Amino acid sequence: MKHGQGKILVVDDNQVNRELLVRRLKRERHLVTAAINGFQALEIIQSQPFDLVLLDIMMPQMNGYEVLETLKSDPKLRHIPVIMISAVDDIDSIVRCIELGAEDYLSKPFNPTLLKARINACLEKKTFRDQERAYLKELAEEKQKSERLLLNILPEAIAQRLKQGEETIADSFNEVTVLFADLVGFTKISANLSPAELVELLNSIFSAFDELADKYGLEKIKTIGDAYMIVGGLPVPKEDHAEAIADMALEMLTKIQEISTKEGKSLQVRIGINTGAVEAGVIGTKKFAYDLWGDTVNTAHRMESHGIPGVIQVAQATYDCLADKYRFEERGVIDIKGKGNMRTYILLGRKE
């Protein structure tokens, strides 16, 4: 809308009044459309945008009050300002129009100068309101973007706590299951790839893992280079955390085989799992990170680093949780760096 100009709908069943208004408004360089009754007016308003409606009250079939009420009850149309025009100069009629949501009220016969002033005032207010609505919409979109970014970095439950003003987030969990996965020999494979190809391949692998995490209700903690860390049972407790991690681990092996075949590369993943207590919390003030600490995490990492390519190695605690429902092969006692001798197991699959 150009300054001082607007798209105006004139609604009046009286042809003389209607044509007089249209001519006058066109002389002021407004874009004018006319409707001969309330029903036609509503049809026109539904089909095209208007900056202002000049609405006669006394009309047959559907009077101006009814048209105004219909407009103001529609969320898509209620923002359009309406000036009521009537030969009835009655205070009750004026009050009723204002209560129904009219912007202004003019009595017939109207003064041309007054008409011009009222229309210009309405159009100016409409411009400011449109700008405000656009600004608020932009703010809402930016807020949504910020919330999506926050949810990409942090678990939803943790993001909500941060938004509510909680400054230090640190929790203890008695029993969760932690999984580490590492792409075997990826450094050698990456030496023959361009940076773009390397990122694309890693993105393909980790995106597949992320989908599995969503499928099994697990929380991805981070990726470090070609390593992937995930946990079950936090920040929202989950009774079947060990089972969910086990199912995901088994499907990860399948996914890697599929991607390896598709990409024509010899890809393998080494997986380690452990169950136990952890501490979890948010670190950082500008770049947030949700992370885990404790012996359970360290042992899960050792299960991976001391594991076998293409195999899922679990610690005793995880084996104890899953032995009734899953098939295992005992690997035996192995010397784990920083932990000493530990009995470990190879997860093979679910029992029939």
Side-chain angles (χ1 to χ4, degrees), residues 286-302:
K286 291 184 178 179
K287 292 186 177 180
F288 295 117
Y290 185 68
D291 212 343
L292 314 181
W293 301 273
D295 185 63
T296 298
V297 178
N298 296 335
T299 300
H301 189 240
R302 293 287 184 263

Side-chain angles (χ1 to χ4, degrees), residues 273-274 299 303 313-320 342-345:
I273 302 173
N274 187 32
T299 300
M303 289 297 101
Q313 179 167 253
V314 308
Q316 183 72 50
T318 305
Y319 171 81
D320 292 341
M342 292 188 73
R343 186 174 299 280
T344 66
Y345 301 82

Side-chain angles (χ1 to χ4, degrees), residues 39-295:
F39 293 112
Q40 188 184 53
L42 291 174
E43 283 181 11
I44 293 171
I45 292 171
Q46 291 282 0
S47 65
Q48 54 185 296
F50 285 94
D51 299 310
L52 177 63
V53 176
L54 296 181
L55 180 60
D56 185 37
I57 293 178
M58 306 307 291
M59 294 186 294
Q61 296 179 312
M62 188 180 200
N63 63 39
Y65 299 125
E66 293 169 317
V67 175
L68 178 62
E69 198 166 5
T70 303
L71 283 177
K72 295 304 174 181
S73 64
D74 188 331
K76 294 178 182 177
L77 304 175
R78 64 170 59 139
H79 67 281
I80 304 172
V82 179
I83 295 178
M84 305 300 288
I85 295 176
S86 176
V88 181
D89 189 6
D90 173 48
I91 190 65
D92 290 335
S93 176
I94 295 171
V95 169
R96 184 179 177 188
C97 289
I98 299 303
E99 285 178 342
L100 288 173
E103 194 75 25
D104 211 334
Y105 186 102
L106 282 171
S107 299
K108 297 177 186 175
F110 38 75
N111 180 290
T113 304
L114 187 58
L115 175 68
K116 180 179 177 180
R118 296 280 178 87
I119 287 174
N120 287 343
C122 277
L123 291 177
E124 193 171 342
K125 275 198 256 183
K126 170 73 163 43
T127 299
F128 287 136
R129 286 174 189 165
D130 287 348
Q131 289 172 346
E132 182 184 38
R133 288 170 67 218
Y135 178 65
L136 291 174
K137 183 182 177 185
E138 191 177 326
L139 276 181
E141 288 172 353
E142 289 301 319
K143 184 182 177 184
Q144 285 181 343
K145 284 181 191 175
S146 298
E147 291 190 357
R148 281 197 300 269
L149 283 171
L150 194 60
L151 290 175
N152 283 338
I153 299 167
L154 301 172
E156 184 175 359
I158 300 301
Q160 290 297 333
R161 287 167 64 181
L162 273 179
K163 284 163 58 181
Q164 288 165 9
E166 199 169 334
E167 293 182 0
T168 303
I169 295 180
D171 302 301
S172 296
F173 296 89
N174 291 329
E175 189 176 271
V176 301
T177 299
V178 182
L179 177 152
F180 279 91
D182 189 63
L183 296 171
V184 181
F186 195 76
T187 303
K188 186 177 179 182
I189 294 170
S190 65
N192 299 316
L193 299 174
S194 69
E197 289 171 331
L198 172 62
V199 171
E200 190 176 345
L201 180 58
L202 273 177
N203 186 54
S204 172
I205 294 167
F206 289 154
S207 293
F209 290 174
D210 288 347
E211 287 177 9
L212 292 178
D214 287 341
K215 175 181 176 180
Y216 291 108
L218 301 169
E219 197 63 54
K220 174 187 174 181
I221 300 301
K222 58 187 171 184
T223 58
I224 308 169
D226 56 7
Y228 188 91
M229 178 185 179
I230 198 159
V231 63
L234 63 76
V236 179
K238 181 179 175 70
E239 287 186 13
D240 62 343
H241 54 85
E243 287 183 44
I245 285 283
D247 290 339
M248 175 166 172
L250 291 164
E251 202 164 341
M252 285 169 77
L253 295 182
T254 304
K255 282 289 179 187
I256 281 292
Q257 288 177 352
E258 291 174 359
I259 294 171
S260 183
T261 301
K262 180 183 174 183
E263 299 291 337
K265 292 177 176 60
S266 181
L267 296 168
Q268 280 189 305
V269 66
R270 192 170 53 224
I271 298 175
I273 302 173
N274 187 32
T275 301
V278 300
E279 306 294 320
V282 176
I283 54 173
T285 53
K286 291 184 178 179
K287 292 186 177 180
F288 295 117
Y290 185 68
D291 212 343
L292 314 181
W293 301 273
D295 185 63

